[in-house]
């Protein structure tokens, strides 16, 4: 028969292991908590990196600002959300130039949340501002 002294350590262990296994899910954030819908941005630059991950994908765009290179970190939907609006590995290629628009990060860094991407040949991809997760 299980007693409380045996159940408590097992329960604690399950909680700790669960926290380790599901840590990234706990770190997930709402878009409005990190980005300010009242502070739009638009930059044009070279895609230097893309991370196709869930729950949010990340673009790194190198932009010339004030005569120097600034890397903007752009967050977007996860892989399925990106594909749903037509943004995939055929459209997004490192080395290509894109114009990106969205909402600035609240922390003041050169980063934001993607709402629109325009390719060098003028194709426009509009994203929902809703957080799909």
């Amino acid at each position: 028969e299980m007693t409380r002294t045996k159940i408590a350590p097992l329960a604690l262990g399950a909680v700790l292991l669960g926290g380790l296994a599901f840590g990234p899910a706990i770190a997930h954030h709402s878009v409005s908590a990190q980005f300010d819908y009242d502070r739009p941005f638009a930059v044009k630059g070279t895609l230097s990196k893309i991370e196709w991950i869930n729950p949010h994908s990340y673009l790194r765009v190198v932009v010339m600002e004030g005569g120097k290179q600034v890397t903007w970190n752009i967050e977007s939907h996860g892989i399925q959300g990106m594909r749903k609006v037509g943004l995939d590995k055929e459209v997004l290629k490192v080395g290509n130039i894109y114009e990106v628009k969205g909402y600035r990060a609240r922390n003041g860094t050169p980063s934001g949340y993607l709402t629109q991407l325009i390719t060098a040949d003028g194709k426009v991809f509009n994203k929902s501002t809703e957080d799909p997760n």
Side-chain angles (χ1 to χ4, degrees), residues 63-70:
V63 177
M64 290 302 291
E65 292 181 358
K68 64 178 183 172
Q69 288 187 339
V70 176

Side-chain angles (χ1 to χ4, degrees), residues 45-72:
T46 304
L47 183 66
S48 64
K49 183 176 183 178
I50 183 162
E51 295 179 57
W52 294 99
I53 56 177
N54 286 314
H56 298 276
S57 294
Y58 297 90
L59 309 173
R60 306 285 186 276
V61 180
V62 178
V63 177
M64 290 302 291
E65 292 181 358
K68 64 178 183 172
Q69 288 187 339
V70 176
T71 299
W72 276 71

Side-chain angles (χ1 to χ4, degrees), residues 24-109:
I26 294 168
H28 181 247
H29 57 270
S30 129
V31 171
S32 63
Q34 188 172 351
F35 304 99
D36 187 346
Y37 291 158
D38 293 327
R39 295 185 58 222
F41 76 90
V43 295
K44 188 173 186 177
T46 304
L47 183 66
S48 64
K49 183 176 183 178
I50 183 162
E51 295 179 57
W52 294 99
I53 56 177
N54 286 314
H56 298 276
S57 294
Y58 297 90
L59 309 173
R60 306 285 186 276
V61 180
V62 178
V63 177
M64 290 302 291
E65 292 181 358
K68 64 178 183 172
Q69 288 187 339
V70 176
T71 299
W72 276 71
N73 296 300
I74 310 296
E75 185 171 325
S76 188
H77 292 330
I79 298 166
Q80 286 304 105
M82 296 282 277
R83 286 184 187 146
K84 190 175 182 178
V85 297
L87 293 172
D88 58 23
K89 293 179 181 179
E90 294 301 313
V91 174
L92 292 172
K93 295 183 180 180
V94 171
N96 285 358
I97 295 172
Y98 301 93
E99 181 176 357
V100 292
K101 297 179 180 183
Y103 300 111
R104 288 183 184 270
R106 293 184 184 276
N107 66 10
T109 62

Side-chain angles (χ1 to χ4, degrees), residues 108-131:
T109 62
S111 56
Y113 192 80
L114 180 71
T115 59
Q116 186 178 75
L117 182 135
I118 304 168
T119 62
D121 62 359
K123 290 181 186 155
V124 178
F125 296 87
N126 290 305
K127 304 258 298 93
S128 166
T129 58
E130 296 173 14
D131 188 349

